[in-house]
Amino acid sequence: MKPRLLSGIQPSGKLHLGNYLGALKNFVDLQNSGKYECYFFIADLHSLTEEFNPKEKSKQVLELMADFLAAGLDPKKSVIFQQSQIPAHSELAFILNTLTPMGELERMTQFKDKSLNPNTPSSKAIEQSSNRTSPNVGLFTYPTLMAADIILYDAKFVPTGDDQDQHLELTRTLVRKFNSKFPARRSLGEGGGNPFIEPQGLHTDIPRVMSLGDPLKKMSKSKPETCLFIDDSPEVIESKIKRAVTDSDSVVKFDPDKKPAISNLLKIYSSLSGQSVKELEHDFSGKTYSDFKSSLAKLVVDHFSKYRAKKKSLLAKPKSLALSLNTGSKKAAKVAEKKMAEVKKKIGLAL
Ligand code: ADP
Ligand code: TRP
């Protein structure tokens, strides 16, 4: 049997190059390798932890489905589903919450970063009323929901960008805790079931795409002007790349410590073109940053032109996108419900 692989992305706006090169492109490659049984999902519950407009949410879900398909995910090869359609995710997350000390969640960097972000709903409301920020509880328990997502499907491999490593580490800790607190008791005839599996992260060779405005910070949609969205028009892509910060000299050379800006651009170039960084250094020796940037802009524009056209045609048929996602959700629900029944037996909730 092939090992299971699972990952999710939040439907919270447009995808950027970091999401694509750190995650989505890899999903497609892993799916097409034929080595895994693949599950990919739209983490819509997770996306509620940030400010959102209910009128937009279902559009964002369908848009992400269109992104998945335009990038090359294929419902015939992978189960593609919507998290909120499967109640077992929230159910298992609550059970995992009871095994998680508050301290473990308090030290999560994503929680610390996002609770400082005024876009999270409760921080905004509270800020207005009392000038104090207090992040919402959903943001606090975000990692236990993510652990539930993974554990429900016995996923062995989880491809993500490296910002999710800490959440995966927590998932492994929870797996060990659960397995030792509720060991298999098949021998006692008490419906032991299989122990949870410790998941392993999978990274691309560019697990952290850096911002075009500050090569020491992660590219993130919170700063749209320094972030390349896949849907940006060719003009916007050209202008953003042209304005990207560069290092002090003008030699196109890979040196992440001394030349972090051009090194980030070189990695992006290499990842999209399939050429090695060494080859690129050779091709651009004696050329200027400006030459390099023009060539990179053309590469990005060309790379996503088919993607954009395919996405547009998929979005023209929202019903068929919804149907395909619902079919995937039904398939995933069967697996999740089975696991949840096993969990309930183990912890003594099944009568
Ligand atoms: P964002 O981080 O932009 O809010 P998500 O949390 O939905 O987006 O992330 C979706 C996937 O993209 C995750 O696997 C995440 O690790 C990856 N990712 C996000 N930003 C980057 C980045 N700058 N470089 C590499 N991968 C990234
Ligand atoms: N937390 C992930 C992110 O921000 C999204 C996500 C939710 C996820 N559940 C997951 C990724 C389970 C992998 C596995 O990108």
Side-chain angles (χ1 to χ4, degrees):
M1 225 168 62
K2 291 179 188 173
R4 241 184 229 159
L5 176 149
L6 167 138
S7 194
I9 296 186
Q10 301 181 64
S12 40
K14 298 179 286 181
L15 291 184
H16 56 72
L17 211 58
N19 302 137
Y20 181 74
L21 294 178
L24 186 52
K25 180 173 178 283
N26 205 22
F27 295 178
V28 177
D29 293 342
L30 291 162
Q31 165 196 266
N32 293 341
S33 75
K35 288 193 203 148
Y36 309 94
E37 190 189 339
C38 294
Y39 285 72
F40 298 109
F41 71 97
I42 296 180
D44 52 352
L45 291 174
H46 277 112
S47 76
L48 305 183
T49 60
E50 290 187 36
E51 190 69 27
F52 71 98
N53 176 349
K55 284 193 201 134
E56 294 294 312
K57 194 43 80 187
S58 60
K59 271 193 216 146
Q60 289 177 332
V61 169
L62 290 185
E63 190 168 348
L64 185 53
M65 181 64 178
D67 276 307
F68 278 0
L69 301 183
L73 289 188
D74 178 353
K76 289 198 201 86
K77 296 183 186 163
S78 300
V79 180
I80 305 175
F81 68 97
Q82 184 183 358
Q83 183 189 37
S84 67
Q85 294 300 309
I86 302 169
H89 286 249
S90 318
E91 231 178 328
L92 181 59
F94 184 83
I95 291 168
L96 295 177
N97 280 342
T98 66
L99 295 177
T100 312
M102 304 255 290
E104 289 263 359
L105 298 182
E106 275 161 1
R107 65 183 188 83
M108 292 286 136
T109 13
Q110 182 174 297
F111 171 68
K112 288 193 267 187
D113 290 349
K114 290 202 176 171
S115 38
L116 294 174
N117 180 347
N119 278 335
T120 47
S122 48
S123 58
K124 215 170 203 178
I126 291 174
E127 207 175 353
Q128 279 159 1
S129 64
S130 66
N131 222 4
R132 240 188 59 223
T133 54
S134 169
N136 69 78
V137 174
L139 194 63
F140 188 61
T141 58
Y142 181 113
T144 47
L145 177 58
M146 177 161 162
D149 298 336
I150 298 168
I151 291 171
L152 272 179
Y153 299 88
D154 287 319
K156 175 79 189 136
F157 296 104
V158 181
T160 62
D162 71 1
D163 57 347
Q164 298 302 313
D165 287 356
Q166 209 185 12
H167 293 160
L168 270 180
E169 189 55 54
L170 175 77
T171 306
R172 286 190 285 271
T173 305
L174 288 174
V175 164
R176 287 194 291 272
K177 244 191 190 169
F178 190 95
N179 285 343
S180 75
K181 201 164 176 186
F182 308 108
R185 295 184 297 183
R186 240 196 280 260
S187 55
L188 301 178
E190 290 183 35
N194 297 316
F196 288 171
I197 292 180
E198 286 192 41
Q200 212 172 292
L202 289 181
H203 290 162
T204 60
D205 56 359
I206 178 161
R208 180 171 292 237
V209 177
M210 307 314 271
S211 153
L212 298 181
D214 179 352
L216 302 181
K217 293 213 174 94
K218 193 182 85 146
M219 182 178 282
S220 156
K221 60 179 173 272
S222 59
K223 287 234 162 67
E225 66 290 356
T226 61
C227 178
L228 279 181
F229 293 104
I230 293 173
D231 287 339
D232 278 341
S233 68
E235 297 73 34
V236 171
I237 289 175
E238 270 158 29
S239 130
K240 282 182 177 173
I241 293 183
K242 217 176 241 170
R243 282 187 284 119
V245 296
T246 37
D247 312 289
S248 50
D249 64 17
S250 61
V251 185
V252 180
K253 190 169 179 332
F254 187 74
D255 185 344
D257 293 331
K258 296 200 187 102
K259 294 160 69 74
I262 194 72
S263 300
N264 184 41
L265 298 182
L266 270 165
K267 282 189 94 173
I268 293 174
Y269 200 126
S270 160
S271 195
L272 288 175
S273 69
Q275 285 174 276
S276 72
V277 167
K278 275 266 157 290
E279 277 171 320
L280 293 171
E281 283 178 340
H282 179 262
D283 290 355
F284 286 95
S285 77
K287 303 227 168 97
T288 63
Y289 283 156
S290 165
D291 298 329
F292 177 79
K293 283 177 164 183
S294 306
S295 181
L296 176 62
K298 185 173 179 321
L299 176 68
V300 176
V301 168
D302 290 350
H303 191 89
F304 291 110
S305 71
K306 265 202 212 130
Y307 182 113
R308 272 192 292 268
K310 187 159 179 213
K311 183 172 169 185
K312 201 169 162 204
S313 76
L314 287 162
L315 283 174
K317 293 185 199 140
K319 284 209 178 112
S320 127
L321 282 175
L323 186 69
S324 172
L325 192 54
N326 286 337
T327 307
S329 300
K330 282 187 192 126
K331 279 190 207 159
K334 285 200 184 124
V335 178
E337 279 160 17
K338 187 160 170 254
K339 191 75 186 174
M340 203 54 224
E342 213 179 87
V343 168
K344 283 186 179 165
K345 253 190 198 165
K346 275 194 177 188
I347 60 182
L349 295 181
L351 301 180

